[in-house]
């Protein structure tokens, strides 16, 4: 992978044993903890935090033999590799790691990932920056106007809706299909209003290369009890997969979100 040489600011910080802005300072005693604090604050799936092996993959990796530091993969390849100038590579292991972490902190600040107080950015700022780097090809979808149509609510009430097939293609999905005997069943999206078509490819940490697309299948007439079953299934799926495992908060379907009074 392409690497970049240490910048003059990194070299100066290594030489002085510290790096300072107008409002903050980091030195060899605090550089490793600051670096770990930054990466632990990144958005990550709850499953990553519950697995030591997967969690370590998202933390800085010190290569003691090569006297270098590899930053996690959400950063561009050409900035992930941090190496000391030759004259500092004969120091002890602990000092080398502190020097590498200090240089990495300078680099993160240079790329706008640490603020002027040398603290990690707010979670939303981090999320936006990570998505900008990791998913540059995802299409931008213009938010649609709020839906004013109401879904079927009771009795024989019905509504014509749009049914979409959610296509998720990848080696892991194929293994699940074969192991679970899914018989080509797919997740679907049931919507009162049309949903923009989506066709993206991305590299998922656990699932590998994944292709995701949404295409219209049909217009269907949905009765009130069918709509209720769809809501219950959606809520169960959200709670089973996406809610924080350490929280007592559960996802609740909101009728107001789809225009119901």
């Amino acid at each position: 992978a392409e690497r970049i040489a240490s910048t003059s600011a990194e070299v100066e910080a290594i030489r002085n044993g510290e790096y300072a802005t107008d409002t903050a300072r980091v030195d060899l005693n605090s550089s490793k903890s600051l670096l770990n604090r930054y990466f632990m604050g990144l958005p990550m799936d709850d499953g990553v935090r519950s697995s030591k092996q997967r969690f370590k993959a998202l933390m800085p990796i010190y290569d003691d033999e090569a006297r270098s530091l590899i930053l996690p993969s959400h950063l561009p390849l050409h900035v992930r590799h941090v190496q000391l100038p030759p004259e500092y590579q004969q120091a002890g292991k602990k000092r080398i790691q502190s020097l590498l972490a200090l240089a990495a902190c300078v680099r993160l600040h240079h790329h706008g990932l640490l603020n002027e107080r040398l603290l990690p950015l707010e979670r939303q700022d981090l999320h936006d920056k990570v998505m900008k780097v990791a998913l540059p090809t995802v299409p931008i979808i213009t938010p649609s106007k709020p839906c004013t149509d109401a879904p079927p609510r009771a009795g024989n009430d019905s509504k014509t809706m749009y049914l979409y097939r959610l296509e998720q293609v990848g080696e892991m999905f194929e293994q699940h299909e074969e192991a679970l005997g899914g018989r080509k069943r797919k997740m679907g999206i049931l919507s009162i209003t049309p949903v923009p078509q989506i066709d993206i490819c991305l590299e998922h940490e656990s699932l590998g290369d994944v292709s995701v697309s949404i295409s219209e299948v049909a217009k269907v007439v949905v009765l009130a009890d069918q709509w209720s079953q769809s809501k219950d299934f959606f809520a169960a799926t959200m709670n089973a997969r996406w809610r924080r495992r350490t929280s007592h908060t559960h996802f609740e379907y909101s009728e107001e979100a789809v225009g119901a009074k």
Side-chain angles (χ1 to χ4, degrees):
E2 180 186 358
R3 304 173 182 175
I4 63 173
S6 298
T7 64
S8 57
E10 291 174 23
V11 174
E12 183 177 357
I14 291 171
R15 183 184 303 115
N16 297 332
E18 66 176 25
Y19 176 71
T21 65
D22 292 338
T23 55
R25 169 180 170 273
V26 59
D27 57 23
L28 296 181
N29 293 322
S30 57
S31 58
K32 289 184 67 175
S33 60
L34 173 58
L35 193 62
N36 288 338
R37 178 177 179 180
Y38 165 74
F39 287 108
M40 289 180 68
L42 289 172
M44 64 182 69
D45 189 274
D46 291 328
V48 173
R49 293 186 182 274
S50 62
S51 169
K52 182 178 180 180
Q53 182 177 3
R54 293 176 63 189
F55 183 73
K56 287 176 65 176
L58 297 181
M59 297 298 289
I61 300 175
Y62 295 92
D63 188 335
D64 296 327
E65 183 176 346
R67 302 291 197 274
S68 64
L69 170 63
I70 305 297
L71 300 179
S73 60
H74 79 279
L75 294 169
L77 287 175
H78 66 282
V79 301
R80 292 178 60 199
H81 190 273
V82 182
Q83 196 159 18
L84 296 176
E87 60 268 29
Y88 294 92
Q89 294 187 8
Q90 301 304 316
K93 173 182 174 180
K94 184 176 180 180
R95 181 173 177 80
I96 283 180
Q97 290 188 358
S98 296
L99 288 169
L100 287 168
L102 180 62
C105 290
V106 177
R107 189 169 297 185
L108 291 176
H109 180 250
H110 173 76
H111 287 279
L113 296 174
L114 292 176
N115 60 28
E116 287 303 304
R117 293 182 297 153
L118 296 179
L119 293 174
L121 305 180
E122 296 294 330
R123 182 171 291 272
Q124 186 59 47
D125 295 330
L126 283 171
H127 179 273
D128 293 342
K129 286 182 176 292
V130 170
M131 292 300 102
K132 183 178 180 181
V133 172
L135 301 176
T137 60
V138 174
I140 298 176
I141 300 175
T142 303
S144 58
K145 296 180 180 179
C147 176
T148 58
D149 290 340
R153 285 175 284 186
N156 294 324
D157 192 12
S158 64
K159 182 75 176 181
T160 299
M161 297 187 178
Y162 298 85
L163 178 62
Y164 298 85
R165 178 194 286 271
L166 179 59
E167 298 283 356
Q168 301 175 101
V169 181
E171 183 178 353
M172 190 66 69
F173 288 101
E174 295 173 1
Q175 292 178 4
H176 289 173
E177 168 72 22
E178 181 178 352
L180 301 176
R183 292 186 290 181
K184 304 300 181 181
R185 293 185 179 92
K186 300 289 185 180
M187 295 286 286
I189 298 176
L190 189 60
S191 175
I192 296 177
T193 58
V195 175
Q197 289 193 354
I198 295 176
D199 190 359
I200 60 175
C201 294
L202 55 90
E203 183 178 351
H204 191 275
E205 177 198 353
S206 303
L207 302 178
D209 293 331
V210 177
S211 174
V212 181
S213 61
I214 299 176
S215 57
E216 184 178 345
V217 174
K219 290 183 180 180
V220 295
V221 177
V222 179
L223 300 175
D225 61 337
Q226 294 173 325
W227 178 251
S228 179
Q229 292 174 15
S230 298
K231 291 191 303 180
D232 292 343
F233 178 80
F234 180 74
T237 302
M238 290 291 290
N239 281 315
R241 183 64 185 91
W242 295 113
R243 79 176 186 88
R244 291 183 179 274
R245 297 180 182 181
T246 57
S247 173
H248 297 292
T249 303
H250 288 71
F251 172 83
E252 293 182 1
Y253 180 83
S254 173
E255 292 286 356
E256 295 180 358
V258 291
K261 304 300 183 181

